[in-house]
Amino acid sequence: MAPGAFPLIGHLPALYRDQPGLLARSRATLGPLFWVTLGRRTWFLVCGGAPALDVLQSRAFSSLHFQKGASLVVGRSVLAQDGEIHKRMRGAMHRPFLPRGLAASSMARLMSSALVALVERWSSRGSARVLSDVQEVAIAIIFRSLGIHDADLSAWRIQYRELLLSNLGIDVDIPGSPVRRAVRARAWIDAELRKLVTRVRETPHDESLLGSLAQGTDEEGHGLADDELIDNLRLLILAGHETISATMAWIVITLAARRDLWDTLREEVTAAAEVPTTIEEARRFPFAEALFRETIRMHPPFGVITRVTKEEVVLHERKVPARTTVAVDLWSIGRDPTIFDRPDELRPSRWLGRSVAPSPIEIAQFGAGGHFCLGYHLAWLEAVQFTVAFAKIMGRDGKRPALTSSIPQPIFVPTEHPSPRVEIMFEPETRPPR
Ligand code: HEM
């Protein structure tokens, strides 16, 4: 068992304070397989190293536990399914998220104009609390792609914030409690999503993201029923903004801290006329893409992913019984010196000049196997759009980002992100670095 567990609350404080540190220290002393507890009889068997990827690719592990653990947000969406149901849902949903689907839809243009507007605001204001600003824009993008009007955005934001109270893990259900508020918010969100679904079902050939999902079918022609579509839309709102906004905020913080990276990026974007709107165009910005990949490696929004064993399995030569919750340690993969040379250094150049696409283990921060991130290409495009827009607009205005203090410690719950208090200044290029 990992050292340092407290009675009743187990490793919770250490997981909040320094999740990768706890797992790395335990791995160093115990090897790649050890137990972590959240107290109250909740145990995880942490599994690191290459076999961890096998866990995500094997049919001996299940994702059905998400229907219980994270049910208010995740419901019975694609994330919380196994086998045939998962295959059907995924088959019906994947088209708009592929590079070709992204190029054909209005999503990329919607993202680009919202991100450009954000950077223009930052440049004229001179400073920004980056995390909350990018979160606001990223969630607005996903809401708009579902056909929600700008006038209704703030009501949706409020309800979604209420729904996320269910992630606090406080399950006391009394009037005014986080759970009660989250249940009420979910009822509001589901009722509104149902109206959107009804409307889009009556509009054939709607090319928005919502339209594509409503019309989508798998290879056998099966689509999503209304309730399934609603569960998946609720998941997409969360998956489509929490992760990517943390990544964009880390990119700004990194560029503010590292003048060398800022200069290289500025050189790359100077000649570019436009912000890219397809994956093909995004590939013309290899340094921006490398910065995105390196940021995700250093700051994976999900440091661990859980599965439950359906049967007895062998992991790292140990027998693991059925119904064990296994936590796949993605931190350990991102910092493995046999996969990444000098893994503790943030070095985008490690991704440059390659002739082959990154291997599954190099992009394990997006998961692996059947549940590999559905939004991978979207996240890649959005991050490159943002990075290019940021460097272009700041460069045009003769500015560069600067930190007002040292690089902040990450926050690890519910997913890894920088502190919302971090403020970035946009200073004249001519001012000497702090
Ligand atoms: C930095 C960006 C992102 C990261 C690091 C990330 C990471 C992940 C990971 C690790 C999983 C696998 C979870 C598991 O196996 O239990 C996943 C699944 C998923 N992601 Fe992402 N994600 C990102 C962005 C996005 C975006 C932008 C969207 C949608 C707009 C999205 C939609 C999804 C969906 C729907 C799934 C479930 C897929 C399935 O179960 O088949 N993600 N993501």
Side-chain angles (χ1 to χ4, degrees):
M1 183 166 99
F6 289 95
L8 297 175
I9 51 170
H11 296 100
L12 263 179
L15 289 169
Y16 267 79
R17 243 189 350 258
D18 183 12
Q19 199 174 111
L22 170 74
L23 301 188
R25 284 191 302 278
S26 308
R27 200 164 51 243
T29 50
L30 304 168
L33 204 62
F34 52 86
W35 292 98
V36 161
T37 175
L38 308 184
R40 295 189 299 171
R41 297 202 206 142
T42 311
W43 291 83
F44 295 95
L45 183 63
V46 178
C47 176
L53 216 62
D54 299 342
V55 170
L56 299 179
Q57 284 160 340
S58 159
R59 285 167 189 265
F61 295 83
S62 169
S63 292
L64 294 179
H65 63 298
F66 289 131
Q67 292 186 11
K68 235 171 98 205
S71 64
L72 275 182
V73 185
V74 168
R76 289 169 179 266
S77 65
V78 67
L79 181 73
Q81 302 291 349
D82 290 344
E84 285 306 308
I85 301 184
H86 176 261
K87 197 169 148 214
R88 175 177 57 79
M89 282 192 178
R90 182 89 188 197
M93 291 171 68
H94 77 291
R95 268 181 217 95
F97 294 98
L98 295 174
R100 215 175 322 132
L102 280 172
S105 79
S106 51
M107 184 79 189
R109 284 184 300 281
L110 205 155
M111 295 192 306
S112 150
S113 58
L115 295 167
V116 165
L118 170 70
V119 182
E120 293 280 10
R121 275 201 306 279
W122 280 352
S123 180
S124 58
R125 261 190 353 225
S127 70
R129 293 259 160 115
V130 273
L131 183 69
S132 46
D133 284 0
V134 286
Q135 272 174 340
E136 192 172 322
V137 169
I139 201 166
I141 290 172
I142 196 95
F143 282 150
R144 284 185 191 128
S145 73
L146 301 182
I148 296 164
H149 298 299
D150 281 6
D152 301 329
L153 285 185
S154 79
W156 276 86
R157 272 201 201 97
I158 291 168
Q159 295 296 336
Y160 219 78
R161 217 176 298 136
E162 292 282 296
L163 176 63
L164 292 183
L165 291 173
S166 63
N167 282 346
L168 292 178
I170 305 169
D171 37 20
V172 184
D173 186 6
I174 52 171
S177 65
V179 175
R180 192 66 68 89
R181 287 164 60 188
V183 168
R184 198 175 320 126
R186 168 153 164 180
W188 185 94
I189 289 168
D190 284 9
E192 292 298 314
L193 286 175
R194 197 170 293 280
K195 287 184 208 160
L196 295 174
V197 167
T198 307
R199 200 183 317 144
V200 82
R201 294 267 194 227
E202 289 161 359
T203 324
H205 315 302
D206 182 318
E207 282 173 8
S208 66
L209 177 63
L210 177 61
S212 310
L213 293 169
Q215 291 148 25
T217 56
D218 67 2
E219 283 171 0
E220 285 159 25
H222 303 302
L224 299 179
D226 283 2
D227 286 347
E228 291 176 337
L229 187 51
I230 289 168
D231 271 340
N232 280 300
L233 295 176
R234 204 187 319 102
L235 169 72
L236 279 173
I237 295 171
L238 177 70
H241 90 281
E242 261 318 270
T243 48
I244 189 65
S245 29
T247 304
M248 294 192 285
W250 280 122
I251 288 177
V252 176
I253 292 168
T254 303
L255 289 169
R258 293 270 305 269
R259 184 79 190 241
D260 56 326
L261 302 184
W262 175 249
D263 290 344
T264 312
L265 176 67
R266 285 278 305 117
E267 229 168 84
E268 178 170 273
V269 305
T270 302
E274 300 289 343
V275 172
T277 53
T278 63
I279 284 288
E280 207 183 316
E281 288 171 10
R283 284 185 209 277
R284 293 182 205 144
F285 299 92
F287 188 77
E289 179 187 331
L291 194 55
F292 157 67
R293 296 193 181 286
E294 190 66 347
T295 303
I296 297 275
R297 185 184 71 78
M298 297 296 281
H299 298 290
F302 300 103
V304 293
I305 305 178
T306 57
R307 291 287 186 270
V308 174
T309 51
K310 291 195 218 166
E311 57 203 56
E312 185 180 275
V313 296
V314 175
L315 286 175
H316 289 292
E317 297 171 9
R318 300 287 186 115
K319 280 187 192 166
V320 177
R323 293 192 296 281
T324 303
T325 305
V326 176
V328 174
D329 180 359
L330 298 180
W331 305 106
S332 72
I333 296 177
R335 301 295 177 101
D336 185 336
T338 65
I339 306 170
F340 299 100
D341 179 37
R342 289 182 279 151
D344 292 330
E345 290 175 22
L346 191 146
R347 211 153 38 87
S349 58
R350 72 174 80 243
W351 300 97
L352 296 174
R354 293 165 160 229
S355 52
V356 288
S359 66
I361 198 132
E362 288 176 313
I363 50 170
Q365 294 76 16
F366 289 94
H371 288 276
F372 180 79
C373 178
L374 186 67
Y376 171 70
H377 290 102
L378 194 146
W380 166 4
L381 180 57
E382 192 167 356
V384 172
Q385 286 186 324
F386 170 72
T387 309
V388 171
F390 184 59
K392 264 186 90 61
I393 293 166
M394 291 295 165
R396 179 202 68 195
D397 296 351
K399 294 184 177 170
R400 67 179 162 81
L403 275 167
T404 50
S405 57
S406 55
I407 294 190
Q409 268 298 103
I411 295 169
F412 298 101
V413 178
T415 52
E416 210 232 69
H417 58 278
S419 161
R421 285 200 293 274
V422 176
E423 189 163 17
I424 299 289
M425 311 294 294
F426 306 113
E427 298 185 338
E429 279 280 5
T430 45
R431 183 178 296 180
R434 285 163 195 261

